[in-house]
Amino acid sequence: MADRLIAVSVEVRHQTRGTLGMTEAFRLSTVLLSVACCVFAIAAPCAAADAAHGKDIAKRWCASCHLVESGQTSATDRAPPFSYLATIPEFDQNRLAFLLLLPHPNMPKVSLNQADVADLADYIRSVK
């Protein structure tokens, strides 16, 4: 969306260069960029990761091998528990996405979108 607003800003600046002075074109570009920033500031809380959804994903895709929550009674000893993963300082959605793209042996093919990966990473970080 920001790319679209910036493209519109550049296009308006290009189309109005002959009719508006540089000051007016700059002001218009600044206003459009400010509107884009406001839109993202309002939309950002909506895009926050959802640990509860991440827990659902973990139960469905990960619990057969990993301990994904306290009280879970079955898992393999070859997969690290989520409580361990949560202690790794650099563990985040980017690290998790990398691990899912290059899965280890015996790991099922997991097909998650970017929001699901963020939710799962948020859940893993919350398990301590």
Side-chain angles (χ1 to χ4, degrees), residues 7 9-10 12 20 26 33 35 42 52 60 65 72 90-91 100 104 108 120 122 125:
S9 174
V10 170
V12 167
L20 294 177
F26 179 76
L33 190 56
V35 168
I42 291 168
R60 184 175 64 232
C65 297
Q72 182 180 334
E90 63 275 0
F91 186 85
L100 293 174
H104 47 276
L120 182 57
D122 198 51
R125 283 193 306 264

Side-chain angles (χ1 to χ4, degrees), residues 2 5-6 8-10 12-13 20 22-40:
L5 288 172
I6 291 170
V8 168
S9 174
V10 170
V12 167
R13 200 173 3 178
L20 294 177
M22 286 300 281
T23 304
E24 290 83 9
F26 179 76
R27 283 186 193 147
L28 181 59
S29 296
T30 304
V31 168
L32 288 173
L33 190 56
S34 297
V35 168
C37 291
C38 290
V39 166
F40 284 113

Side-chain angles (χ1 to χ4, degrees), residues 4 13-14 16 23 29 43 46 59 68 79 96 104 110 115:
R4 177 75 177 130
R13 200 173 3 178
H14 178 69
T16 60
T23 304
S29 296
C46 298
K59 286 180 175 181
V68 300
L96 179 60
H104 47 276
V110 179

Side-chain angles (χ1 to χ4, degrees), residues 77-99:
D77 60 352
R78 294 182 182 182
F82 279 16
S83 58
Y84 169 76
L85 296 174
T87 65
I88 300 172
E90 63 275 0
F91 186 85
D92 62 3
Q93 70 186 40
N94 295 327
R95 176 82 181 249
L96 179 60
F98 178 76
L99 291 172

